[in-house]
Amino acid sequence: MKTNQFAVYQVKAGAETKDLRFRSYAYAIEHKVSITVKYYEQAYLSVLLPTDTPDVVWQRLKKQPKALRGHSIGVSDVLVFNQNGVVISYYIDKTQLVVLAGFIRTNSSGSLVTIDTEGFQVEGRSGTWMATDETHVDGKHFFLMESEKYRENAEFVVVDEQGKFVCESCSGFDDAALRQIRDYLNPPVPPQPTAPPMQKPPMENWQKYYENGEYLRAAEITEEQNYNMIDGRVNNLPAPRVIGGRVSVLDRLKIKQAGIALKNGKAGPDLAMAENMERNRK
């Protein structure tokens, strides 16, 4: 069945099922009648509504749905809930629904644990254990194990069909146990450490020239006073000369005028002067 559906199973016709058909749950237990899906056939299948509970569905089924293929809902029928990936079976008794363990058995031939398992040793736990209940979560089979020595005086444990310990449970397959089972099936993935960003080594001016790209190189060739100033920065102007230990005031003035001319896009005599000054300085 798909998630969030329920089904009704009814006892097959035939001599081998006469001791089970329309019998109460107490009768089946007293006479050790096996209640498994192989003696049943599916008579009805429907989608679960958000507000559906086993009792609500049972009362609705008493109105004899048109799609029901068998007889009217009655004693010995089994109601199977598949809700949010958890499968639970209920035996329909005279006045109540009885949780039924071992109805749908999906164990593979390599499984170590079944609903009939007794005398099992759980890893990390002392003593021997017996299976008392089972459930299916997200298509996987899990068993509630009870201590054969301490019975209900010890906490139950949950194992998978291979007998691997999953979690402890105080009261069976409660919400806390189901959360731990899902954590077991889908363990959290630890965050992966992120590598720090690689730092680029400092570049020489000639490396910056190539790193800048064709557009910036073209702009520098157009704007700079000479080609030896192509270094990744536009509009480099020559330094003023030092004459007699003092910076030339005239050079500073003319350099400033050349900068203004470049800024305004007017490379006039001042620019030529600046280039000549730079050559003379060298």
Side-chain angles (χ1 to χ4, degrees):
M1 296 188 301
K2 296 181 180 179
T3 301
N4 295 338
Q5 288 189 338
F6 71 90
V8 175
Y9 288 82
Q10 294 184 337
V11 180
K12 295 178 181 177
E16 65 175 349
T17 59
K18 63 181 179 63
D19 290 334
L20 179 59
R21 194 180 306 113
F22 306 124
R23 300 291 188 177
S24 68
Y25 183 75
Y27 177 92
I29 296 301
E30 181 182 353
H31 292 80
K32 298 182 180 180
V33 178
S34 178
I35 309 174
T36 62
V37 72
K38 70 177 182 177
Y39 298 126
Y40 284 75
E41 57 187 0
Q42 191 180 102
Y44 186 71
L45 178 66
S46 183
V47 176
L48 276 171
L49 302 177
T51 57
D52 277 345
T53 65
D55 284 321
V56 169
V57 171
W58 182 26
Q59 296 304 318
R60 192 163 69 237
L61 289 171
K62 291 179 179 179
K63 298 179 182 179
Q64 190 71 13
K66 292 182 180 179
L68 183 65
R69 293 192 294 271
H71 55 74
S72 300
I73 299 298
V75 175
S76 78
D77 292 351
V78 175
L79 175 62
V80 179
F81 256 50
N82 189 339
Q83 192 168 31
N84 298 323
V86 180
V87 179
I88 303 177
S89 302
Y90 302 90
Y91 191 88
I92 298 179
D93 213 347
K94 294 179 179 179
T95 59
Q96 63 179 339
L97 296 176
V98 181
V99 177
L100 188 62
F103 180 71
I104 295 179
R105 301 186 181 185
T106 59
N107 298 81
S108 63
S109 58
S111 299
L112 296 179
V113 182
T114 70
I115 193 61
D116 301 319
T117 295
E118 296 179 351
F120 189 79
Q121 292 185 332
V122 179
E123 184 179 0
R125 298 294 185 276
S126 60
T128 57
W129 300 75
M130 60 181 293
T132 60
D133 198 1
E134 64 181 343
T135 190
H136 297 77
V137 178
D138 298 337
K140 302 297 183 181
H141 209 164
F142 296 91
F143 297 88
L144 190 70
M145 309 295 288
E146 180 183 86
S147 170
E148 291 183 326
K149 179 178 181 180
Y150 298 104
R151 298 293 179 174
E152 296 182 355
N153 294 323
E155 283 192 337
F156 298 100
V157 298
V158 177
V159 300
D160 63 12
E161 61 184 19
Q162 298 302 320
K164 185 175 180 180
F165 173 82
V166 176
C167 66
E168 288 183 332
S169 175
C170 296
S171 57
F173 291 116
D174 52 13
D175 291 341
L178 292 176
R179 282 195 299 270
Q180 293 182 76
I181 290 173
R182 285 201 165 90
D183 289 341
Y184 170 80
L185 292 173
N186 304 286
V189 179
Q192 298 297 322
T194 56
M198 296 184 62
Q199 300 292 332
K200 289 186 177 181
M203 294 187 294
E204 301 293 339
N205 282 341
W206 65 271
Q207 292 173 312
K208 296 178 183 177
Y209 163 77
Y210 286 105
E211 187 78 9
N212 285 336
E214 296 292 338
Y215 177 81
L216 185 54
R217 288 202 299 273
E220 288 193 73
I221 291 171
T222 302
E223 298 290 341
E224 307 296 7
Q225 282 67 59
N226 47 50
Y227 291 112
N228 68 350
M229 299 299 289
I230 297 176
D231 59 358
R233 295 178 296 172
V234 179
N235 292 340
N236 293 292
L237 292 172
R241 293 172 295 175
V242 179
I243 302 174
R246 299 178 61 185
V247 177
S248 172
V249 177
L250 181 60
D251 283 0
R252 292 174 61 185
L253 176 61
K254 290 183 177 181
I255 290 171
K256 183 176 181 180
Q257 291 173 340
I260 295 173
L262 284 173
K263 185 176 180 180
N264 296 329
K266 298 177 180 179
D270 290 334
L271 178 59
M273 176 278 301
E275 290 177 340
N276 291 332
M277 187 174 63
E278 177 68 13
R279 285 196 296 271
N280 294 334
R281 187 172 68 85
K282 293 188 175 184

